[in-house]
Amino acid sequence: MTDLETRDAARRGAPGPSGALRRAAPALLGYAAVRALGLLALALWSAARDKNAYTLLTARWDSLWYTRVAELGYGYEVRLPNGDVHSNLAFFPLLPWLERLGATVTPLSYADAGFVVSLLASLAAAWGIFAVAEHVYDRRVGVCAVLLWAVLPVGVVQSMAYSESLFTALAAWSLYAVLTGRWVTAGTLAALAGLTRPVGLAVTAAVWAAAITAFARSRREGCVPGAGGTPGARRVLGMLLAPLGAAGYVLWVGHRTGKGPLGYLDVQAGWRNGFDGGAAFARFVAAKFTSFPAALAGVGLIVGVALLVWLYVVCVRQRQPLPLLVYAGLVTLLALCASSYFGSKPRLLLPAFPLLFPLAVGLARLRTARSAPVVCGVAVAAAVYGAFWLNGSGPP
């Protein structure tokens, strides 16, 4: 089928917005219930430790950097005793823009607006994950995929004034637009994802991979791109739009710092962030085996990485669409092979939701009487861990 035929078929078979919301309702209600459980556990745990749960969600770690950008703009930096320079230019602008908008049009503070944005974005992300999984598999797998994303051990980050939920929402809906032939929408959402986090590169790569594959398929089938309509032109426009967000911000940072197109890399270097192919992470894991019980943590890290690799291999074997494989592969690669603070890696992997689809397929095959207790048990465990984690070292 040509892209135009695919798009028309998708539109004929797809329900309207209200119908789509009804189909996604079980997934969204389940997601909301899991997140409410997590917030309740956090509130109780924090109260027992004389801490404010809302402060933990909105006014610590990266949340403070985002609200400072929203309130004062870019240009703030902290110089550490070891010479490192932490500049707020490292933080992409879409979340601070939305925080400023929320604080301007409502009585909310910047931190309050960030929290509301994250709550709404997390629901949008859950809906997007459902839409992608339902499109690739079926409705039941879609519900299971959303629930699995909700019960991840670091799922509490989805409710923080961080950019993970916003990015995942934009990425999921961009991928859904790609899968349903809506190229301009896919490119626009990819551009917005690129304004949210550096890993927006993965969304752009997914759009480009799908578009190039579509062009190649059209040539094999003897079709002239754009003939008899404008699908080829829309693909090109989507490809052109996709990198604009990330490229625009990176070039602006380079101009502001006076260091040219690679100036953003210098900003990240000030945070000791970079891409080293996983060498620093490997040294970190190896260092765990120099003592006991730290060696147990080393074993856990190796098992975790092996699980990620295994899930990706299963995704390939299940013939997931190319855009999902490209996106999930790049998100995972950038998370594991970055030299950033290693405690951040679990939350950096949150947007790699296609890796959950093989597990969702397996869960969907179980009867509800068997799958429901499993999900509920994991949800309770995740809620307790999230409360413990956020009251302790937390997600830097």
Side-chain angles (χ1 to χ4, degrees):
M1 298 175 70
T2 65
D3 285 358
L4 185 60
E5 290 170 338
T6 302
R7 184 167 58 252
D8 289 342
R11 287 175 177 171
R12 287 195 300 271
S18 60
L21 181 57
R22 283 195 298 270
R23 291 186 62 81
L28 297 180
L29 290 173
Y31 177 80
V34 172
R35 293 276 22 96
L37 176 64
L39 293 177
L40 176 61
L42 176 64
L44 295 175
W45 194 294
S46 301
R49 294 174 58 88
D50 294 323
K51 292 186 178 181
N52 188 306
Y54 189 68
T55 299
L56 294 177
L57 293 170
T58 63
R60 289 185 68 185
W61 302 296
D62 289 4
S63 300
L64 292 173
W65 287 90
Y66 283 120
T67 55
R68 184 179 290 274
V69 172
E71 183 177 5
L72 303 175
Y74 285 106
Y76 176 78
E77 62 183 30
V78 175
R79 294 184 178 273
L80 303 183
N82 65 355
D84 290 345
V85 178
H86 288 185
S87 168
N88 64 0
L89 289 169
F91 295 88
F92 277 49
L94 185 57
L95 178 57
W97 286 348
L98 293 176
E99 290 178 342
R100 179 177 294 182
L101 176 63
T104 300
V105 303
T106 71
L108 298 174
S109 68
Y110 294 105
D112 294 338
F115 181 65
V116 171
V117 168
S118 290
L119 287 184
L120 296 178
S122 67
L123 288 170
W127 192 357
I129 292 170
F130 170 83
V132 173
E134 184 192 33
H135 181 83
V136 176
Y137 299 100
D138 57 42
R139 186 185 186 191
R140 187 174 176 84
V141 173
V143 173
C144 291
V146 170
L147 292 177
L148 289 174
W149 192 65
V151 302
L152 288 172
V154 294
V156 67
V157 175
Q158 298 162 15
S159 300
M160 296 180 68
Y162 271 39
S163 61
E164 273 76 11
S165 290
L166 179 60
F167 176 80
T168 305
L170 294 168
W173 284 107
S174 178
L175 291 170
Y176 180 74
V178 166
L179 295 175
T180 54
R182 297 170 172 86
W183 296 102
V184 177
T185 300
T188 302
L189 292 173
L192 291 173
L195 283 171
T196 308
R197 296 188 63 80
V199 76
L201 166 68
V203 190
T204 297
V207 174
W208 276 60
I212 292 171
T213 301
F215 275 121
R217 184 172 61 248
S218 296
R219 292 181 64 87
R220 287 198 307 269
E221 294 173 355
C223 300
V224 179
T230 58
R234 288 173 180 148
R235 283 200 299 269
V236 172
L237 181 56
M239 293 176 70
L240 293 176
L241 288 171
L244 291 183
Y249 181 68
V250 168
L251 291 175
W252 178 81
V253 170
H255 173 73
R256 183 183 176 97
T257 60
K259 296 183 178 180
L262 300 181
Y264 182 76
L265 297 181
D266 290 334
V267 171
Q268 286 285 10
W271 286 81
R272 304 219 170 201
N273 290 337
F275 186 87
D276 64 358
F281 185 45
R283 290 194 297 269
F284 174 77
V285 174
K288 295 294 183 182
F289 291 93
T290 59
S291 63
F292 187 86
L296 297 178
V299 172
L301 289 170
I302 292 175
V303 170
V305 172
L307 176 61
L308 291 172
V309 173
W310 174 77
L311 286 173
Y312 188 78
V313 170
V314 175
C315 289
V316 174
R317 290 179 175 175
Q318 289 185 349
R319 297 181 179 273
Q320 278 190 15
L322 179 63
L324 300 188
L325 295 176
V326 170
Y327 168 77
L330 281 177
V331 170
T332 304
L333 184 68
L334 291 172
L336 294 180
C337 295
S339 58
S340 57
Y341 181 71
F342 305 113
S344 300
K345 292 191 182 297
R347 72 173 175 87
L348 297 180
L349 289 164
L350 270 178
F353 64 87
L355 294 181
L356 297 173
F357 288 176
L359 300 177
V361 170
L363 187 63
R365 290 172 180 166
L366 299 177
R367 293 186 178 182
T368 303
R370 297 185 61 185
S371 61
V374 172
V375 173
C376 290
V378 176
V380 171
V384 172
Y385 176 78
F388 165 78
W389 187 47
L390 212 54
N391 276 275
S393 61

